[in-house]
Amino acid sequence: MSTYITIALTKGRSLPLSLELLATIGVEPAEDISKSRKLVFDTNREDLKLMVLRGMDVATYVEHGIADLGISGKDVLLEHGGDGYYEPLDLGLAKCQIAVAGLKTEAQLPPRIKVATKFVNIAKRYYAEKAIQVDIIKLYGAMELAPVTGLAHRIVDIVETGNTLKANGLVILEVIEEISTRLIVNKISFKTRYASVQPLIDALEKATT
Ligand code: PRP
């Protein structure tokens, strides 16, 4: 077992917010992450390292115990699933919603609609719970284009300001989940490295409430 604790961070839009939060609890990367191609970073604390990963991979690395802790969006956690980690804290960063959206003026819908999304599992679960049969079309980005071009009737996507929907003539039809950034902890690390992990959770809790 390594002698240090590893925290996996999500690269992209939320990374500066996560780094800012870590700085408030006295954890800072030893170099400028945004100017480096490295994936693992030393910090000002000898017992702590940071990893910078794609969202879905944060949950996977924490689930397998390669990273002890992770900072990840709830959207990604819902989509990823998995039970190898606890989710002790809502860090309250990067707040948004995951919602069903469609054209402002919808034509008559067929009995079985097409739903475009990159959140295939979330969409499947949502419609299964409602006992509505739909065809899911997996996309990797620019979901808003799907209803506009006729690829799908609806989308399941992240809505933050609502500007992207508006710019494409779409509206929210149903909110599936309120999303924010969460702290996750590997279940084994939580037990075997409690003395190192719990103070970090406590400090983050204090910094976010
Ligand atoms: C997300 C999401 C929407 C947009 C919503 O995309 O998929 O397109 O942000 O934000 P808004 O409500 O503030 O307009 P992102 O920019 O993360 O890129 P992606 O298409 O790669 O997911």
Side-chain angles (χ1 to χ4, degrees):
M1 194 163 62
S2 55
T3 52
Y4 50 84
I5 295 283
T6 302
I7 307 176
L9 306 178
T10 303
K11 70 168 155 193
R13 274 208 253 187
S14 68
L15 183 59
L17 298 174
S18 301
L19 290 172
E20 209 175 292
L21 176 62
L22 288 174
T24 65
I25 66 159
V27 176
E28 306 215 29
E31 61 188 288
D32 186 345
I33 290 185
S34 65
K35 295 205 173 92
S36 173
R37 298 291 298 164
K38 276 193 200 170
L39 301 168
V40 181
F41 295 86
D42 290 330
T43 69
N44 57 331
R45 277 180 47 174
E46 258 186 13
D47 60 336
L48 273 183
K49 284 191 197 289
L50 304 177
M51 254 180 205
V52 182
L53 304 168
R54 290 288 290 266
M56 279 290 185
D57 297 339
V58 169
T60 302
Y61 271 78
V62 173
E63 189 171 30
H64 289 271
I66 310 301
D68 303 285
L69 295 135
I71 295 182
S72 170
K74 182 67 179 175
D75 52 335
V76 171
L77 298 177
L78 287 169
E79 182 64 16
H80 184 277
D83 59 4
Y85 52 82
Y86 299 118
E87 189 193 304
L89 274 186
D90 181 348
L91 300 171
L93 306 173
K95 286 190 179 168
C96 55
Q97 295 175 319
I98 186 145
V100 180
L103 289 172
K104 210 169 169 186
T105 321
E106 272 182 337
Q108 176 87 37
L109 295 177
R112 189 174 169 122
I113 61 164
K114 292 180 195 162
V115 179
T117 188
K118 67 175 173 191
F119 300 103
V120 169
N121 297 328
I122 294 174
K124 276 188 183 157
R125 262 200 310 270
Y126 174 74
Y127 285 104
E129 273 165 22
K130 290 183 156 270
I132 298 174
Q133 292 206 328
V134 299
D135 291 318
I136 307 277
I137 299 176
K138 166 96 183 182
L139 287 179
Y140 293 87
M143 255 67 68
E144 293 81 4
L145 196 56
V148 177
T149 56
L151 177 68
H153 303 95
R154 302 270 167 89
I155 59 171
V156 167
D157 197 17
I158 292 293
V159 182
E160 194 180 343
T161 60
N163 290 339
T164 314
L165 288 184
K166 204 168 166 205
N168 291 285
L170 302 176
V171 287
I172 292 182
L173 299 170
E174 288 140 83
V175 173
I176 299 181
E177 201 89 38
E178 298 293 334
I179 302 297
S180 55
T181 302
R182 309 296 164 95
L183 181 73
I184 58 172
V185 185
N186 173 270
K187 284 186 175 172
I188 312 255
S189 298
F190 187 67
K191 288 199 183 78
T192 58
R193 322 188 87 181
Y194 185 83
S196 308
V197 167
Q198 188 59 45
L200 285 168
I201 299 175
D202 290 341
L204 287 169
E205 183 168 23
K206 219 171 142 202
T208 52
T209 47

